[in-house]
Amino acid sequence: MSVILATASKDNNFYNFRKELILRLHDMGHEVILVCPYGKKIDFFTRLGCRFIDMDIDRRGTSVIRDLRLILFYGKLLKKERPDIVLTYTTKCSVYCGFQCGRRNIPYIVNNAGLVEADNKNSILQRILRVLYRIGFSKARCMMYQNTRERDYVNTLLKNRVYYRDIPGSGVNLEEFTYRDYPRRDVLIFNYVARIVEFKGINEFVECAKYIKARYPGTRFIVYGDYDDDSYRDRMEGLMEAGIIEYGGIQMDMKPYIEQANAVIHASYYEGMTNVVLEHSAMGRPCIGSDISGVREGIEEGKTGYLFEVKNVEALIKAVEKFIGLSYEEKANMGKAARLKMEKEFDRNMVTNIYLKEIEKILRK
């Protein structure tokens, strides 16, 4: 059978979002090679027979030397492994591995899942990013787009010359993330599930927690995720000591913690399509999210949750207070509506089947 290499910036990109696809490819007899920095979630795949190759990547760093090393790493890797097809996820992996695949005429499928953008659209950094996107994506056999904004932007850069498919994010495994009865208790629990870093909205979550805790003592704000920015460690410890937030750590299985929650707050600045919203919705939990591409698609305003202006703490607080003011039945019905939306629009089987179809098409050629 064929050698299929997949690369991403973290182990959770594979375990949380691509597990079903990877297992299907492995069960079909393909040799699957996973390339990312080592994390404990990789052990799940290696125990089943997938191969793992460790790599060093500075996901958001701007060091030219480190990025050149990553480009050279991909070149040597592809020369040695000679994969029949490569699946790339996340920006740096997609750009640099895509560039090396293009040089070697190795077919590759890109799933970028969230554009990196500078604040100033005309800055030198943004111009460099546009060049990198063209270099990394221009020879892809297929671009997988998780939201229309990213699709339209990249297609314009590529002059609509690259074949693409629209997918509902990574989808959600509806058999794994099953509906759970809405919790009936006096205390309301709000989850934060993401890397602890500014662009994931941790600052807004904390400020909201400070305000709400002072006025609604019967609330808990729990943070799940790893420290992507170590500068937050001391600050978070202080907030925990003050009783503002709680830290739930990094969880292999989030389902029990989603089940105990009343809602999730996802204040991210940019996303491809956020699985945080999809997984909470699938288990019947309302979602309060920033009104951006990649989040708004998973939330139906007033029916499955609430949207608020990105980076706007006052708007977030207003949305949370609106949610707190709902009756138990209204909150529970909101969760049921969220589950139905996932069943209709975001079944992960849809994504897996699209991938398998495109992979089969490429391998057949």
Side-chain angles (χ1 to χ4, degrees):
M1 296 297 284
S2 302
V3 177
I4 299 177
L5 185 149
T7 183
S9 61
K10 293 195 71 176
D11 59 322
N12 70 308
N13 290 122
F14 294 133
Y15 184 84
N16 294 1
F17 313 135
R18 335 286 176 198
K19 179 171 61 179
E20 293 78 10
L21 173 62
I22 292 169
L23 295 182
R24 286 281 297 276
L25 292 171
H26 179 265
D27 290 344
M28 291 167 68
H30 298 297
E31 180 181 6
V32 180
I33 304 173
L34 304 179
V35 183
C36 71
Y38 174 75
K40 62 183 180 179
K41 293 181 179 180
I42 282 296
D43 297 340
F44 171 84
F45 298 106
T46 55
R47 284 195 294 265
L48 295 174
C50 297
R51 275 212 291 137
F52 167 68
I53 296 175
D54 197 4
M55 77 171 187
D56 179 37
I57 181 173
D58 186 359
R59 284 172 291 147
R60 297 191 316 281
T62 57
S63 168
V64 174
I65 293 176
R66 292 197 67 176
D67 282 8
L68 284 174
R69 286 176 182 165
L70 183 60
I71 294 170
L72 293 174
F73 166 83
Y74 278 127
K76 293 176 182 177
L77 175 69
L78 296 174
K79 182 178 180 180
K80 178 182 179 182
E81 299 295 340
R82 301 175 63 84
D84 295 287
I85 187 170
V86 173
L87 311 178
T88 73
Y89 303 99
T90 67
T91 302
K92 281 196 177 182
C93 298
S94 294
V95 168
Y96 296 151
C97 189
F99 165 69
Q100 291 287 22
C101 286
R103 288 185 63 212
R104 290 165 173 77
N105 294 316
I106 297 173
Y108 65 105
I109 295 175
V110 173
N111 187 332
N112 188 58
L115 293 170
V116 176
E117 298 182 82
D119 292 334
N120 184 350
K121 304 301 181 184
N122 296 314
S123 67
I124 294 176
L125 176 58
Q126 190 62 42
R127 293 174 188 173
I128 292 172
L129 286 170
R130 286 196 287 265
V131 171
L132 289 174
Y133 289 143
R134 291 190 187 101
I135 291 173
F137 301 161
S138 61
K139 294 187 178 180
R141 292 294 182 88
C142 180
M143 294 290 300
M144 297 284 188
Y145 292 121
Q146 298 196 14
N147 63 66
T148 56
R149 179 179 177 276
E150 183 169 339
R151 179 195 68 197
D152 294 344
Y153 178 79
V154 175
N155 277 353
T156 299
L157 288 179
L158 302 179
K159 299 181 179 179
N160 296 305
R161 293 175 179 172
V162 178
Y163 171 71
Y164 72 88
R165 296 291 302 268
D166 289 317
I167 57 175
S170 300
V172 60
N173 187 326
L174 296 172
E175 296 178 2
E176 184 175 345
F177 289 87
T178 55
Y179 176 81
R180 292 287 189 270
D181 289 338
Y182 197 75
R184 188 185 290 274
R185 67 169 84 85
D186 293 332
V187 176
L188 295 179
I189 295 177
F190 294 93
N191 280 354
Y192 169 100
V193 185
R195 287 171 281 156
I196 300 174
V197 64
E198 181 182 7
F199 75 86
K200 285 295 185 180
I202 185 63
N203 294 338
E204 288 75 13
F205 181 85
V206 166
E207 292 305 312
C208 175
K210 289 179 181 177
Y211 182 94
I212 296 295
K213 290 280 290 185
R215 288 158 180 78
Y216 304 89
T219 56
R220 295 171 60 192
F221 290 78
I222 308 179
V223 174
Y224 298 95
D226 56 347
Y227 284 92
D228 212 39
D229 183 344
D230 284 333
S231 67
Y232 277 93
R233 288 186 185 274
D234 290 341
R235 181 184 175 196
M236 297 295 284
E237 288 177 4
L239 290 165
M240 285 183 268
E241 290 176 3
I244 304 299
I245 63 167
E246 302 168 44
Y247 182 52
I250 305 168
Q251 300 297 333
M252 282 287 289
D253 181 7
M254 273 300 300
K255 293 188 289 294
Y257 307 99
I258 295 175
E259 182 175 358
Q260 74 173 5
N262 294 89
V264 66
I265 295 174
H266 195 60
S268 182
Y269 298 176
Y270 67 84
E271 293 285 345
M273 180 68 69
T274 173
N275 272 57
V276 174
V277 167
L278 304 189
E279 290 171 359
H280 279 77
S281 295
M283 294 188 68
R285 300 300 177 260
C287 302
I288 301 170
S290 47
D291 190 6
I292 60 170
S293 293
V295 175
R296 70 169 69 98
E297 291 87 346
I299 300 174
E300 190 168 344
E301 174 66 27
K303 186 173 182 181
T304 71
Y306 296 112
L307 294 165
F308 61 91
E309 183 183 11
V310 65
K311 302 183 183 181
N312 188 330
V313 175
E314 290 183 4
L316 169 56
I317 290 171
K318 183 178 180 181
V320 171
E321 288 190 309
K322 189 186 299 184
F323 175 79
I324 291 173
L326 298 176
S327 67
Y328 170 83
E329 289 73 19
E330 288 171 323
K331 295 184 181 79
N333 288 335
M334 189 172 274
K336 291 176 182 177
R339 171 68 188 191
L340 291 175
K341 182 176 179 66
M342 295 304 104
E343 292 176 355
K344 182 179 179 181
E345 302 176 28
F346 291 96
D347 187 342
R348 183 167 289 177
N349 287 325
M350 300 177 189
V351 180
T352 299
N353 290 335
I354 289 172
Y355 258 99
L356 291 175
K357 182 177 180 180
E358 295 305 323
I359 290 170
E360 180 185 2
K361 187 189 303 181
I362 291 170
L363 294 178
R364 195 165 57 237
K365 290 182 179 180

